[in-house]
Amino acid sequence: MRDLNDAFGKALRDLRLGANLAQTDFPPKVSREYVSLLERGVRSPSLETIDDLAGVIGVHPLTLVLQCYLTREPETNVKQLLDEVQREIRLEMI
């Protein structure tokens, strides 16, 4: 199991590169320096920062968070994780 900050950094880097973006494409929303710190696992983002990062990449913020947990727990697949979340959300609504 990877450290959560490291997993988030890898997920961010993978999605950023997949979108053909450089770290310099994030300002003014998020500074290049902060993107670098996040990708190296040195810092943890706030929800607002996750939202800003996802907006620049062009994905839903949950995609970034989901990719983080899939990176952290490689034995888990997308369907398992989404099924778990869906069950938990339904339990909360009852």
Side-chain angles (χ1 to χ4, degrees):
M1 183 185 300
R2 295 180 74 128
D3 172 78
L4 192 56
N5 285 351
D6 289 338
F8 183 86
K10 182 172 180 350
L12 174 59
R13 184 179 312 108
D14 290 348
L15 287 171
R16 175 178 63 78
L17 293 175
N20 231 6
L21 295 170
Q23 290 179 347
T24 54
D25 292 322
F26 287 82
K29 288 285 191 182
V30 183
S31 74
R32 185 211 58 81
E33 294 81 6
Y34 193 60
V35 172
S36 176
L37 291 171
L38 290 170
E39 288 187 355
R40 288 183 284 137
V42 176
R43 295 286 174 93
S44 299
S46 67
L47 287 173
E48 186 173 327
T49 300
I50 290 170
D51 192 62
D52 288 342
L53 292 165
V56 173
I57 295 169
V59 299
H60 193 284
L62 288 176
T63 302
L64 185 50
V65 173
L66 184 65
Q67 185 68 36
C68 169
Y69 281 92
L70 291 170
T71 299
R72 182 177 176 211
E73 302 165 9
E75 68 282 355
T76 304
N77 66 48
V78 174
K79 183 172 178 353
Q80 290 172 315
L81 205 49
L82 290 175
D83 286 348
E84 181 180 342
V85 170
Q86 189 173 23
R87 280 191 308 274
E88 291 170 354
I89 289 172
R90 284 191 180 150
L91 288 176
E92 291 297 319
M93 295 181 76
I94 295 174

